[in-house]
């Protein structure tokens, strides 16, 4: 049975060294609490840092022993590694950058080195524990390099990755000196999950722009496999919060916790008193100063709420050694002091401020008691607190004011959405929340509850794992078509045994790599030698079938002993003879189409026009990848209306749009050739969709090979032009 290995920076439990020895306690935070139950019920192992640095081998053993009971494996790190990898690269580089706080991001080589080192340690620990074909689920920004490190050494593993924080726009990620390594690191995974579609599309755009891979919908096409990118908005353990909320609310007042009784007393001391709640780690991404300013503005604008409303703010200490966090703490302390000083009375504090963490029960007491939750991060991957608040509002008596910059805002559409930097808007949203009718309040709450109850943490984890399994299944179905040694041997022995043989080969992308400028794709010496060798085999005909213009083809191959079919089948040249046209040319249409293409060249920097006898081609390989694709769509649309009454057609190839006289394609040119030159053996290799005409027209017995893993009618595939060359080289022997 295959197992699941989970890897994250922290384990779901942490070890504390106390006077009474080592203690195991649950880790706080969304990832740990969320995945814990999934981990327990499945046969999985969780690898991560245990939160302690053992001082001896004996202590290490003790920690490992304690964790074994929790199905956890510790990854120990030295103090120095933690400082540079965790405080350094993870929290002083990636965290600020990925949350758009570019001014806080540090770029230090020593941090990067430690980050690489720790990612290697994680990969090694996973590899040591992974059986063949196990699944591995890697989590979060501290381990971005792990997927590729695993892929290099253990391609048998099923590798999933989930990012819990935002993936920023390309304009941000491009700032990072190690941006390519980071993106390549992630591409080692089979499936990469994000909380929202925006993060997924930013990632895809970065892959296209930084590495240049092709993308089809949410599939990234690598040379030899595909990476699936998908959206899985993380949920919470809904039932747990619902149950706890019912429990704390149904307790008679005198049996409630001391903290809960304090809240009750506070609320009852003045008629109509209400609590607004916010909970977050004290982090600059959470927008705490903006929130306080909005609350101050609210008190100024709506003075009738004095002594009626308090903001209860639970801020959990976080990364306290880091300067920005210390500065933030000072700023928050001052703001809270100012507001309480300015507005407070003898029996009323406008802001009730806690700088510590609380047990879960107390957290739920706060959720159930607060009429409004005010969650206003400047950036937040998801924000689970928002969902926990909604789940805890079992009587629907609450309103959520939520920043539109939190991933959760995508699912919690009934919340009052605010731009957290807009102080006035946030203040008005607080007012709106406090004055909302019971009916509107419960309608909104019910709708949100229904949604997050269905897509809870269990569903989230199950869906991720199911998608990972499906991704692998698709990949293996695809692999079945890959030219394996057995398929190769079959083709080679047929080739040898056949009396007459014919090989159709496309040029660009099949025998040669793509160049930004198509004229640079000149055949190299090795390619000439290969083609000469192939065509010198007795009773073997080699035909190059390309979309290229005949002048270029003539220059490159005119003197060679093989047949050339140029311009998608418009021209044919037998060895030692001249070019023959397959259909009379008409070219009046070019006067109409050329100015349109020129307009597109002007509007798309980097693109260019190529003129052939039968066609006009707009190349956009050198243009911005997204602009090029967009303009190609527009161009096809514009031209379609222009050519409707003419004998023309549009072909979209790889980074080209070609307008050509219709009824001419690689397929009918090759069929015509075969008609006059019958053969016992056919091999055809091509990479783009113009080659599909060729594959389709050939008899069923033909050996058709597509270059690349896209859908094709070809029987088999090879990954790239290098594999094609080595396949053909082997065939010559
Ligand atoms: C990252 C992303 C994403 C908080 N204070 C206490 C406490 N908590 C619990 C909450 C909640 C969790 O911690 C916080 O989760 P968030 O999602 O709000 O924020 P991050 O810690 O920044 O998490 C975030 C998340 O990963 C998951 O993908 O949503 O965007 O930044 O569960 O209840 N728990 C207890 N005492 C506290 O004082 N017991």
């Amino acid at each position: 049975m295959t197992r699941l290995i989970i890897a994250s920076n922290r384990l779901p439990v942490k070890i504390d060294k106390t006077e009474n020895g080592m203690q195991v306690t649950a880790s706080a935070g969304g990832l740990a609490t969320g995945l814990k139950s999934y981990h327990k019920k499945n046969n999985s192992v969780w690898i991560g840092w245990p939160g302690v640095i053992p001082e001896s081998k004996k202590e290490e053993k003790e920690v490992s022993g304690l964790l074994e009971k929790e199905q956890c494996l510790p990854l120990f790190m030295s103090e120095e590694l933690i400082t540079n990898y965790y405080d350094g690269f993870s929290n002083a580089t990636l965290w600020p950058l990925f949350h758009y706080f570019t001014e806080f991001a540090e770029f230090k080589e020593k941090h990067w080195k430690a980050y690489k080192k720790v990612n290697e340690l994680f990969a090694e620990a996973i590899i040591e524990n992974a059986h063949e074909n196990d699944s591995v689920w890697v989590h979060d920004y501290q381990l971005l390099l792990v997927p590729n490190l695993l892929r290099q050494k253990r391609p048998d593993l099923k590798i999933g990755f989930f990012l819990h924080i935002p993936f920023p726009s390309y304009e941000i990620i491009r700032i990072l000196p190690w941006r390519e390594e980071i993106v390549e690191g992630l591409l080692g995974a089979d499936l990469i999950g994000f909380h929202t579609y925006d993060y997924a599309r930013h990632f895809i755009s970065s892959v296209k722009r930084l590495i240049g891979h092709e993308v089809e919908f949410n599939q990234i096409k690598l040379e030899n496999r595909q990476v699936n990118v998908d959206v899985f908005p993380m949920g919470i353990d809904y039932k747990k919060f619902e149950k706890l909320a019912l429990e704390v609310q149904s307790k008679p007042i005198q049996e409630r916790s001391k903290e809960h009784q304090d809240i009750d007393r506070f609320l009852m001391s003045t008629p109509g008193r209400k609590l607004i709640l916010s909970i977050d780690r004290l982090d600059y991404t959470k927008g705490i100063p903006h929130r306080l300013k909005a609350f101050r503005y609210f008190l100024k604008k709506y003075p009738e709420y004095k002594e009626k409303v308090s903001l209860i703010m639970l801020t959990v200490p976080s990364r306290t050694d880091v300067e920005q966090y210390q500065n933030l703490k000072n700023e928050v302390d001052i703001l809270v002091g100012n507001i309480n000083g300015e507005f407070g009375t003898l029996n009323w504090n406008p802001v009730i401020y806690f700088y510590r963490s609380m047990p879960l029960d107390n957290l739920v007491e706060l959720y159930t008691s607060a009429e409004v939750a005010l969650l206003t991060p400047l950036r937040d991957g998801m924000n689970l607190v928002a969902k926990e608040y909604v789940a805890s509002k079992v009587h629907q008596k609450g309103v959520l004011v939520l920043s539109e910059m939190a991933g959760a805002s995508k699912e919690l559409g009934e919340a009052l959405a605010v731009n957290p930097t807009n102080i006035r808007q946030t203040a008005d949203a607080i007012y709106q929340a406090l004055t909302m009718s019971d009916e509107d309040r419960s309608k909104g709450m019910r709708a949100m509850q229904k949604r997050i109850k269905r897509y809870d943490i269990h569903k989230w984890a199950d869906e991720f794992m199911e998608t990972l399994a499906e991704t692998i299944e698709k990949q293996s179905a695809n692999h079945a078509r890959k030219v394996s040694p057995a398929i190769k041997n079959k083709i080679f022995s047929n080739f040898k045994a056949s009396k007459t043989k014919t090989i159709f080969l496309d040029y660009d992308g099949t025998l040669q790599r793509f160049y930004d400028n198509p004229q640079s794709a000149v055949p190299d010496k090795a390619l000439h030698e290969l083609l000469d060798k192939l065509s010198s085999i007795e009773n073997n005909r080699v035909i190059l079938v390309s979309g290229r213009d005949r002048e270029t083809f003539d220059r490159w191959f005119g003197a060679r002993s093989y047949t050339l079919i140029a311009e998608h089948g418009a021209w044919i040249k037998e060895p030692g003879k001249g070019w023959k046209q397959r259909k009379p040319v008409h070219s009046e249409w070019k006067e109409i189409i050329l100015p349109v293409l020129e307009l597109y060249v002007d509007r798309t920097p980097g693109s260019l026009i190529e003129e052939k006898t039968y066609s006009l081609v707009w190349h956009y390989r050198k243009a911005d990848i997204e602009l090029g694709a967009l303009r190609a769509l527009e161009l096809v649309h514009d031209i379609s209306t222009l050519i409707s009454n003419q004998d023309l057609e549009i072909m979209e190839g790889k980074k080209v749009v070609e307008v050509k006289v219709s009824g001419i394609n690689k397929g009918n040119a090759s069929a015509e050739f075969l008609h006059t030159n019958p053969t016992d053996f056919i091999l055809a290799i091509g990479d783009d969709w113009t080659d599909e005409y060729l594959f389709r027209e050939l008899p069923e017995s033909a050996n058709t090979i597509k270059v690349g893993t896209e859908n094709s009618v070809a029987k088999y595939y090879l990954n790239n032009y290098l594999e094609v060359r080595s396949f053909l080289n082997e065939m010559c022997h």
Side-chain angles (χ1 to χ4, degrees):
M1 187 186 160
T2 61
R3 290 178 318 161
L4 169 65
I5 298 180
I6 300 173
S8 64
N9 175 55
R10 297 298 289 259
L11 288 168
V13 288
K14 64 178 198 293
I15 306 280
D16 289 311
K17 254 201 250 177
T18 68
E19 284 171 1
N20 306 324
M22 302 273 188
Q23 301 272 330
V24 186
T25 48
S27 298
L31 164 63
T33 44
L35 255 189
K36 203 155 60 185
S37 51
Y38 186 85
H39 167 59
K40 277 264 146 107
K41 85 171 187 242
N42 289 284
N43 178 27
S44 63
V45 179
W46 195 321
I47 300 178
W49 189 58
V52 70
I53 303 173
E55 277 162 23
S56 61
K57 283 279 161 210
K58 188 172 158 268
E59 270 190 19
E60 256 189 48
K61 255 186 143 173
E62 193 184 341
V63 173
S64 304
L66 286 168
L67 290 173
E68 205 180 325
K69 295 183 197 123
E70 310 282 336
Q71 295 167 228
C72 289
L73 264 176
L75 189 126
F76 296 112
M77 285 182 246
S78 66
E79 186 102 49
E80 195 191 343
L81 264 190
I82 294 169
T83 309
N84 291 319
Y85 138 81
Y86 184 68
D87 301 332
F89 201 75
S90 300
N91 289 333
T93 306
L94 294 176
W95 178 268
L97 207 58
F98 279 39
H99 286 89
Y100 294 75
F101 282 80
T102 49
E103 70 277 26
F104 289 168
E106 292 174 6
F107 306 110
K108 293 192 179 156
E109 196 65 40
K110 124 174 137 178
H111 292 169
W112 167 241
K113 274 199 181 130
Y115 184 82
K116 278 206 295 193
K117 174 83 198 145
V118 172
N119 274 249
E120 278 159 16
L121 291 177
F122 264 92
E124 279 163 25
I126 295 167
I127 287 168
E128 229 168 77
N129 288 283
H131 304 155
E132 201 173 343
N133 297 325
D134 274 354
S135 300
V136 183
W137 191 359
V138 184
H139 288 268
D140 227 1
Y141 65 103
Q142 300 91 349
L143 304 180
L144 299 175
L145 305 177
V146 171
N148 203 27
L149 291 168
L150 293 177
R151 169 80 44 202
Q152 302 302 322
K153 295 205 172 133
R154 289 287 301 274
D156 62 294
L157 298 175
K158 307 175 177 97
I159 308 167
F161 181 91
F162 190 84
L163 186 70
H164 290 261
I165 64 172
F167 194 92
S169 125
Y170 163 71
E171 289 301 331
I172 299 286
I173 196 89
R174 71 188 301 195
I175 299 171
L176 189 66
W178 308 278
R179 59 204 185 177
E180 283 89 1
E181 285 96 322
I182 291 289
V183 172
E184 295 274 17
L186 282 171
L187 288 176
D190 294 295
L191 171 66
I192 306 175
F194 297 95
H195 282 307
T196 73
Y197 172 65
D198 283 340
Y199 309 155
R201 100 186 142 73
H202 287 153
F203 175 68
I204 286 176
S205 154
S206 300
V207 168
K208 286 202 266 188
R209 284 158 186 273
L210 291 171
I211 325 267
H213 290 310
E214 291 285 327
V215 180
E216 214 175 79
F217 301 109
N218 57 344
Q219 305 285 321
I220 300 170
K221 315 254 172 198
L222 308 193
E223 295 248 297
N224 50 1
R225 61 190 185 89
Q226 299 183 13
V227 180
N228 191 6
V229 175
D230 217 333
V231 175
F232 306 88
M234 187 173 176
I236 55 160
D237 191 343
Y238 189 95
K239 285 199 183 125
K240 181 174 94 181
F241 282 92
E242 190 181 36
K243 185 167 164 266
L244 277 174
L246 281 169
E247 267 167 31
V248 301
Q249 270 179 305
S250 59
K251 268 189 199 162
I253 290 195
Q254 56 284 10
E255 283 175 31
R256 292 181 174 185
S257 71
K258 181 186 169 299
E259 294 79 7
H260 201 181
Q261 289 187 22
D262 287 346
I263 299 174
D264 288 336
R265 244 191 315 279
F266 172 83
L267 289 174
M268 283 183 301
S269 61
T270 306
R273 233 185 203 184
K274 287 174 180 176
L275 271 183
I276 300 171
L277 171 68
S278 78
I279 297 181
D280 19 41
R281 278 184 305 103
L282 190 74
D283 194 293
Y284 49 79
T285 62
K286 303 287 181 183
I288 300 168
H290 288 86
R291 184 183 309 156
L292 284 166
K293 286 174 194 161
F295 185 61
R296 180 170 65 192
Y297 185 75
F298 163 81
L299 291 175
K300 265 200 189 128
K301 187 167 175 189
Y302 303 101
E304 64 272 29
Y305 282 97
K306 278 183 192 161
E307 300 211 324
K308 287 268 167 64
V309 166
S310 284
L311 170 64
I312 183 159
M313 213 169 69
L314 173 61
T315 51
V316 181
S318 180
R319 304 169 197 171
T320 43
D321 295 339
V322 182
E323 193 189 332
Q324 282 107 14
Y325 288 76
Q326 291 160 1
N327 294 343
L328 176 67
K329 165 87 170 44
N330 292 339
E331 189 185 356
V332 171
D333 286 353
I334 292 170
L335 270 168
V336 170
N338 282 350
I339 296 172
N340 283 346
E342 188 179 344
F343 299 95
T345 62
L346 276 179
N347 53 29
W348 176 65
N349 263 342
V351 183
I352 305 167
Y353 172 43
F354 297 100
Y355 178 61
R356 56 172 179 262
S357 64
M358 282 188 186
L360 185 65
D361 284 353
N362 294 139
L363 215 65
V364 176
E365 286 159 9
L366 287 175
Y367 285 148
T368 54
S369 307
E371 291 250 349
V372 177
L374 183 62
L375 304 170
T376 54
L378 297 171
R379 290 280 164 184
D380 212 339
M382 172 52 72
N383 195 303
L384 296 177
V385 172
K387 293 187 174 181
E388 292 168 4
Y389 176 72
V390 171
S392 306
K393 283 289 164 208
V394 282
H395 303 304
Q396 291 84 34
K397 288 187 181 153
V399 181
L400 175 63
V401 178
L402 181 60
S403 161
E404 61 190 35
M405 307 296 176
S409 69
K410 307 274 176 215
E411 289 162 277
L412 303 176
E414 292 77 6
L416 298 180
V418 292
N419 172 355
T421 59
N422 189 336
I423 306 290
R424 285 159 196 252
Q425 184 200 26
T426 309
D428 288 340
I430 298 175
Y431 178 78
Q432 199 187 337
L434 291 168
T435 51
M436 194 180 280
S437 73
D438 287 355
E439 199 193 336
D440 286 349
R441 200 164 61 163
S442 39
K443 206 169 128 205
M445 208 35 104
R446 253 185 243 284
M448 292 192 280
Q449 286 176 339
K450 202 169 150 208
R451 209 170 302 131
I452 62 171
K453 187 172 187 169
R454 199 175 50 231
Y455 201 91
D456 67 358
I457 183 71
H458 309 295
K459 182 102 177 129
W460 172 77
D462 286 343
E463 290 248 313
F464 186 92
M465 293 312 296
E466 274 163 29
T467 311
L468 178 61
E470 280 165 20
T471 307
I472 304 287
E473 233 168 75
K474 266 193 217 148
Q475 304 236 18
S476 38
N478 216 358
H479 277 133
R481 286 180 47 239
K482 169 103 210 254
V483 176
S484 62
I487 294 172
K488 211 159 36 177
N489 288 339
K490 204 178 97 198
I491 298 177
F492 291 175
S493 59
N494 274 341
F495 179 69
K496 288 218 168 81
S498 302
K499 269 205 190 131
T500 50
K501 327 155 204 264
T502 306
I503 302 176
F504 293 102
L505 299 169
D506 165 53
Y507 185 71
D508 296 87
T510 300
L511 292 172
Q512 180 62 293
R513 76 171 176 87
F514 285 107
Y515 284 82
D516 285 342
N517 181 349
Q519 286 305 324
S520 309
V522 184
D524 47 281
K525 193 163 161 258
L527 180 58
H528 272 312
E529 280 172 10
L530 168 64
L531 293 173
D532 289 348
K533 214 163 26 167
L534 257 187
S535 58
S536 68
I537 296 174
E538 215 183 329
N539 293 326
N540 183 30
R541 279 194 213 98
V542 175
I543 300 115
L544 292 192
V545 199
S546 168
R548 286 231 170 225
D549 65 280
R550 94 196 124 100
E551 288 78 15
T552 308
F553 242 36
D554 208 42
R555 211 168 46 247
W556 290 352
F557 303 111
R560 305 274 160 170
S561 60
Y562 27 87
T563 303
L564 304 175
I565 296 180
E567 300 197 25
H568 298 292
W571 294 90
I572 181 159
K573 180 187 175 307
E574 299 279 5
K577 295 188 188 161
W579 286 94
K580 265 202 321 210
Q581 209 171 16
R582 290 187 49 237
K583 201 180 164 183
V585 201
H586 67 103
S587 58
E588 331 71 64
W589 58 274
K590 285 187 179 169
E591 284 167 31
I592 306 166
I593 302 296
L594 194 60
V596 180
L597 296 189
E598 279 165 350
L599 190 73
Y600 275 82
V601 169
D602 294 343
R603 292 173 63 213
T604 321
S607 68
L608 55 99
I609 298 170
E610 182 189 3
E611 183 166 355
K612 303 186 199 171
T613 328
Y614 274 92
S615 67
L616 285 173
V617 195
W618 180 67
H619 290 265
Y620 61 94
R621 181 163 295 277
K622 253 175 103 179
D624 176 284
I625 197 154
E626 273 157 11
L627 180 66
L630 183 74
R631 291 281 191 258
L633 280 178
E634 291 174 17
L635 176 63
V636 169
H637 176 265
D638 284 1
I639 294 181
S640 308
T641 47
L642 283 175
I643 65 167
S644 55
N645 292 324
Q646 308 196 37
D647 185 18
L648 296 174
E649 64 184 10
I650 305 170
M651 288 180 126
E652 286 177 82
K654 286 195 175 149
K655 304 275 189 289
V656 292
V657 174
E658 180 153 6
V659 188
K660 61 186 267 299
V661 175
S662 65
I664 288 176
N665 59 51
K666 293 180 179 179
N668 55 32
S670 307
E672 201 176 288
F673 178 86
L674 285 175
H675 188 69
T676 44
N677 302 284
T679 185
D680 300 330
F681 170 93
I682 301 172
L683 168 68
I685 314 182
D687 76 308
D688 92 19
W689 78 269
T690 60
D691 300 307
E692 297 294 311
Y693 284 107
L694 171 64
F695 299 147
R696 231 175 267 136
E697 288 281 334
L698 295 175
E700 179 48 39
S701 60
N703 300 285
T704 48
I705 302 180
K706 162 101 179 167
V707 183
T709 51
E710 291 101 338
N711 284 341
S712 167
V713 295
K715 286 185 187 148
Y716 314 114
Y717 81 89
L718 284 167
N719 280 315
N720 50 45
Y721 79 101
L722 291 172
E723 286 192 10
V724 174
R725 287 189 185 194
S726 80
F727 175 91
L728 293 173
N729 259 317
E730 270 186 66
M731 200 157 125
C732 294
H733 289 123

